Amino acid sequence: MFTKKQLVEEVFDKAKRESGKSTKNGLSEYLVITLEEKVSLSISERTLIRYYDTYVINSTKKNEIEIDSNTLDKLSQYLSYRCFEHFVNPNEFVLDGVEAANVHRPIGVYQDLTKVVEGGLHINIHNMIRLPDFIKNNKGMSLGITGALLASGSFAHFNGSFQKNDHMYWNGVEYKLTTAQDRNPKHAVIPLDTVQFKYFKKITRPDTLDLDNGLNKVWYSKYRNKVEFFTMDGTNPDNHKELKPVSEGILEKYAGKKTTEK
């Protein structure tokens, strides 16, 4: 059973990985902005610090601070779960595709599935279905055929082990899906973040930016006199510099159409 304590710990752990910050104040400051942007949760830095003090530092304290159901759901969504109930009981939910790939704990899968493979083979499921329901609804299908489906890739790809696209890498412009087993030396593989995967892009045509479509909508990094623009807040994957919201001055100096004097 996964508790509120584990939820708060995982939220701050993810914030630490994303922001590079390590203090509770720094992490709380980061979460105030990130939770608002990613899951539409308006929460104060002071409240987040209280959660951290209660559930992370004083984890054995009996008088826990109450967290309302909406906040529990939103914090769970930040971790790529549908709601707090999904976080607590992940095996009760059935997901598929990219959404399922970002959930770290096994979900919607018959827990004894690994018993059909000897030698301790680690199995990751790509298409998330409940095997008991599948077998129940296909009573005429033998276990041999079920095994053939597994081997053929109807449930997952087989390449020495069952793999799923639950990781990603930056290709210079956007994130691309890959597996944890990706050994391409040019790929800096990291766990999949569905929000960054979908929305974080480098703007390759800064000449199209102006005050209307750039101000309060675009972020930038400046490194070695090179300015690059991005579609959301975070860090520049190429140099790990923290992004900043663009200002009128930055847009006027480094973006928009440039005219040359004759």
Side-chain angles (χ1 to χ4, degrees):
M1 182 68 69
F2 300 100
T3 65
K4 295 177 184 178
K5 172 183 178 297
Q6 287 169 299
L7 176 66
V8 174
E9 286 179 341
E10 289 192 25
V11 165
F12 275 88
D13 283 344
K14 182 176 181 180
K16 185 180 296 184
R17 293 193 302 270
E18 291 179 342
S19 67
K21 301 178 185 294
S22 58
T23 66
K24 67 179 179 181
N25 295 75
L27 292 170
S28 298
E29 182 181 1
Y30 170 80
L31 283 169
V32 167
I33 299 173
T34 303
L35 291 172
E36 175 70 33
E37 291 179 347
K38 293 187 176 181
V39 297
S40 301
L41 174 62
S42 297
I43 190 169
S44 70
E45 183 178 339
R46 181 178 179 182
T47 298
L48 287 165
I49 290 174
R50 291 176 64 207
Y51 290 167
Y52 186 92
D53 288 339
T54 300
Y55 291 97
V56 179
I57 296 179
N58 301 322
S59 57
T60 60
K61 189 175 180 179
K62 293 183 178 180
N63 296 324
E64 294 183 344
I65 295 175
E66 185 62 31
I67 305 178
D68 63 82
S69 59
N70 179 64
T71 300
L72 289 173
D73 287 341
K74 293 295 185 180
L75 293 177
S76 300
Q77 290 169 19
Y78 172 59
L79 297 176
S80 298
Y81 293 88
R82 288 186 174 179
C83 58
F84 183 58
E85 183 182 351
H86 182 199
F87 177 83
V88 174
N89 298 301
N91 289 329
E92 297 302 316
F93 284 74
V94 180
L95 306 178
D96 55 25
V98 171
E99 182 181 2
N102 198 34
V103 178
H104 300 294
R105 291 191 285 268
I107 55 177
V109 179
Y110 184 51
Q111 295 179 348
D112 290 332
L113 176 60
T114 53
K115 293 181 180 179
V116 304
V117 181
E118 296 181 357
L121 179 64
H122 177 69
I123 296 178
N124 288 325
I125 297 302
H126 180 65
N127 296 320
M128 309 304 287
I129 66 172
R130 299 181 69 90
L131 288 185
D133 293 341
F134 176 81
I135 295 172
K136 177 181 177 181
N137 295 330
N138 296 273
K139 295 179 180 179
M141 181 177 290
S142 68
L143 289 176
I145 297 177
T146 305
L149 282 173
L150 285 170
S152 67
S154 295
F155 291 95
H157 292 290
F158 184 78
N159 183 19
S161 65
F162 287 89
Q163 301 176 13
K164 62 181 178 181
N165 292 330
D166 59 355
H167 283 65
M168 64 185 185
Y169 67 91
W170 178 252
N171 74 348
V173 177
E174 61 185 356
Y175 283 106
K176 294 292 187 179
L177 283 176
T178 188
T179 67
Q181 291 79 17
D182 187 339
R183 294 295 180 262
N184 189 326
K186 295 182 179 180
H187 295 172
V189 178
I190 60 175
L192 175 65
D193 182 314
T194 55
V195 174
Q196 283 195 324
F197 174 77
K198 186 174 182 179
Y199 298 107
F200 189 90
K201 317 281 184 185
K202 180 187 290 186
I203 298 174
T204 59
R205 291 287 307 276
D207 59 302
T208 62
L209 296 175
D210 54 35
L211 293 180
D212 291 331
N213 62 23
L215 201 61
N216 299 319
K217 300 173 185 177
V218 172
W219 287 257
Y220 79 99
S221 73
K222 184 177 182 181
Y223 181 65
R224 295 182 177 177
N225 293 322
K226 182 179 181 181
V227 174
E228 294 179 307
F229 297 92
F230 297 85
T231 56
M232 64 176 281
D233 196 9
T235 58
N236 186 332
D238 295 319
N239 54 41
H240 307 292
K241 295 297 181 181
E242 186 172 350
L243 301 183
K244 300 177 181 179
V246 298
S247 62
E248 291 187 23
I250 290 294
L251 286 172
E252 292 173 358
K253 186 174 182 180
Y254 297 103
K257 293 182 178 179
K258 305 298 180 183
T259 58
T260 57
E261 296 183 358
K262 295 184 178 180

